[in-house]
Amino acid sequence: MAEMLPAWVADDTAEDTEPEGVATRLLCWALSRLPWASFQDAIRMLNTLQTNASYLEQVKRERGDPQAQLEAMQGFLERSGLKVEDLDRLNIIHVTGTKGKGSACAFTECILRNYGLKTGFYSSPHLVQVRERIRINGQPISKDLFSKYFWLVYNRLEETKDPAHASMPAYFRFLTIMAFHVFLQEKVDLAVVEVGIGGAYDCTNIIRAPVVCGVSSLGIDHTSILGDTMEKIAWQKGGIFKPGVPAFTVVQPERPLEVLRERAQERKCPLYLCPELDDFEEGCQALELGLAGAHQRSNAALALQLARTWLQRCGCQGRGELKEVPPSTELLGRPVPLAPAFRLTDAMIQGLRDTEWLGRTQVLSHGPVTWYLDGAHTTSSIQACVRWFRQTALNQDKPHDGSEVRVLLFNATGDRDTAALLKLLVPCHFDYAVFCPNFTEVSVANNADQQNFNVTLENALTRCLENQRTWTRLLEEKVGQDPWLPSPLRVGGLLQPAPTRGSLLLVPPAPRPLNSPALVFPCLAQALRWVAQGRDPQLAAPTASGAHAHPAASSGAVLLREAAAVRVLVTGSLHLVGGALRLLEPALAQ
């Protein structure tokens, strides 16, 4: 039988000669040849590469030698059948930043698609389905295409594995290589590529000759990888600059901007500062953006410069008149020169208006329950989220009887300063704060797209309990500072699996001087059902069977059922928002 199998399946010299290893190789080969089952099996096989936590540890160890990381990625790329030079044909727009880089990419892609170009777009993370990470003409690639390219790349890597090196790249590296294959073979006119983490050491940085680069707004995030100051993070982001390739950034704090300028100089990269979107609106009506929130204006301004530069450098000026407008004098003295504004074409205006980007300043109105979803997860992005939520939700007409309940649904992951994020949310005056892990269900075995092998339910719930205690403390401090602020009336608790099968037990926290309107649920589905109380047609009513009532849940349920309007802000994690979208908009998961 061995003669009928590929060498990498029958290989008895492989490192994994244990029965489990041989069985895994045989299963992989067999699954790759089952078209009727290949998509779900591709997702499950992809999930075996989920070593993000260990990968990040590896990055931390190797960050002193970025060349080694890029060489490893280049090796995986070549084993898959591509050379780094092949990527030059993709006419890439490479974008990094701390916040807004995904939105800036979405604006850029939509603008260029409105010019009639065939676009590729690689982003992360996905919200509902992993196919979202690889898009053609704004749409996630089909299940058939995903399966085709997954197995093409997977099999080539298995067939060429070297005993001296890892046989498979980690999850994000694999998807990056797969995206390059998709874009090349599907013959896109251009590819918008969003950096994963940082820039200098990111696996997308094997791109050697992009058409143009962009840096969105900088902030503090991924400090264990990128450094704990804005200057260190700016240094990492500037690592994507390439000799002779123009780069654009938005208004930044002075020192990080200076670091970007220094990085651009050492890499012989012409760097420009984007003018404000106001400069493009002079003499014409205000631009309409498809993404809500004042913070999206800087992302749109960056996208305009990226799209316009791409059109100029790729010989597409004839697709629309691009006349420069003299730059304003306000910023001319800055160390980074100000790029000129220009008269926008109809395709640019339409592209900004048509841009969609799920999970960012997104509103879902489901009867009396309105969900406000934003994947903000840094202090500056939470600040922007609060401004958007207050303007959008709190400024809406109040119900005639005044019965409105505001709920915060929150989770945060990684090494983020949760206390700093929650403190920014206190001024929204939520009636309840609900904390839960990013898992849609207690068991996600049937939902491969949402599986995360790097986090256990126990660890995630422990983090949620810490968030609950932090919220309680922040409210106590607020009451202590403001004698006119009424004390919260509701008691918090933890909702967790009880010993009896399928039942739930509500466990109150230790007594505290001030009760907290906070609840912890073991999964998103239970949290959303409690908030909606059967009033959202997409969610089943919460079940009381087997549950032990607790004042916080009981009194809250009554208020939520009787309120004329329930406004729910879901934030703190893109993964949390993605799980919520999967439950609130089931069509996205089909």
Side-chain angles (χ1 to χ4, degrees), residues 85-330:
E85 304 89 83
D86 294 328
L87 307 185
D88 299 348
R89 307 200 311 266
L90 288 177
N91 299 318
I92 289 172
I93 298 173
H94 201 192
V95 182
T96 187
T98 305
K99 52 189 187 295
K101 65 180 185 292
S103 298
C105 287
F107 278 125
T108 305
E109 183 276 331
C110 194
I111 289 170
L112 293 172
R113 181 160 30 99
N114 269 272
Y115 275 88
L117 295 162
K118 184 174 183 179
T119 61
F121 180 11
Y122 177 60
S123 64
S124 61
H126 64 275
L127 294 184
V128 180
Q129 294 198 54
V130 69
R131 297 183 294 117
E132 299 164 25
R133 294 176 182 237
I134 305 173
R135 297 172 181 259
I136 293 179
N137 287 334
Q139 296 300 313
I141 59 174
S142 68
K143 293 181 179 180
D144 288 342
L145 271 186
F146 188 96
S147 301
K148 170 185 173 181
Y149 289 106
F150 174 86
W151 292 116
L152 180 149
V153 173
Y154 195 99
N155 289 339
R156 284 183 180 174
L157 288 169
E158 277 289 1
E159 290 165 358
T160 58
K161 74 178 187 177
D162 180 350
H165 300 90
S167 63
M168 281 290 164
Y171 188 93
F172 183 74
R173 284 180 173 178
F174 184 97
L175 286 171
T176 303
I177 293 169
M178 180 176 155
F180 291 146
H181 278 271
V182 171
F183 296 153
L184 283 166
Q185 295 201 34
E186 296 301 315
K187 295 180 170 54
V188 299
D189 294 316
L190 68 120
V192 180
V193 177
E194 178 189 1
V195 166
I197 295 176
Y201 307 154
D202 189 73
C203 67
T204 64
N205 208 27
I206 61 169
I207 298 167
R208 64 173 198 170
V211 175
V212 61
C213 295
V215 182
S216 68
S217 189
L218 297 178
I220 300 292
D221 198 17
H222 297 294
T223 53
S224 61
I225 302 293
L226 306 179
D228 56 2
T229 68
M230 291 270 282
E231 290 79 9
K232 292 177 182 177
I233 290 171
W235 188 93
Q236 295 277 355
K237 305 295 183 181
I240 71 167
F241 296 157
K242 302 295 188 297
V245 175
F248 295 87
T249 188
V250 298
V251 173
Q252 310 280 9
E254 183 176 351
R255 275 299 300 146
L257 183 63
E258 178 65 18
V259 173
L260 288 179
R261 185 187 68 81
E262 292 168 357
R263 288 288 267 167
Q265 281 186 334
E266 75 182 42
R267 291 175 166 263
K268 298 179 173 56
C269 161
L271 176 66
Y272 302 94
L273 193 66
C274 294
E276 300 286 348
L277 202 60
D278 295 356
D279 293 344
F280 293 94
E281 295 174 329
E282 290 185 7
C284 63
Q285 62 184 18
L287 292 168
E288 181 182 345
L289 303 184
L291 304 182
H295 58 288
Q296 293 293 357
R297 290 178 64 82
S298 68
N299 298 326
L302 175 58
L304 288 171
Q305 295 291 345
L306 296 176
R308 187 243 196 177
T309 302
W310 190 95
L311 290 166
Q312 288 183 323
R313 299 196 80 205
C314 291
C316 297
Q317 296 97 323
R319 293 177 182 267
E321 190 177 18
L322 296 172
K323 292 184 178 179
E324 291 188 2
V325 174
S328 64
T329 58
E330 183 181 351

Side-chain angles (χ1 to χ4, degrees), residues 28-62:
C28 169
W29 174 78
L31 289 176
S32 69
R33 282 145 179 84
L34 294 176
W36 49 270
S38 59
F39 174 70
Q40 282 304 320
D41 289 321
I43 298 299
R44 292 188 180 97
M45 196 61 69
L46 174 66
N47 285 344
T48 67
L49 307 179
Q50 266 197 45
T51 57
N52 190 52
S54 58
Y55 170 66
L56 293 181
E57 285 300 319
Q58 180 187 7
V59 170
K60 279 186 258 187
R61 291 194 303 270
E62 296 177 352

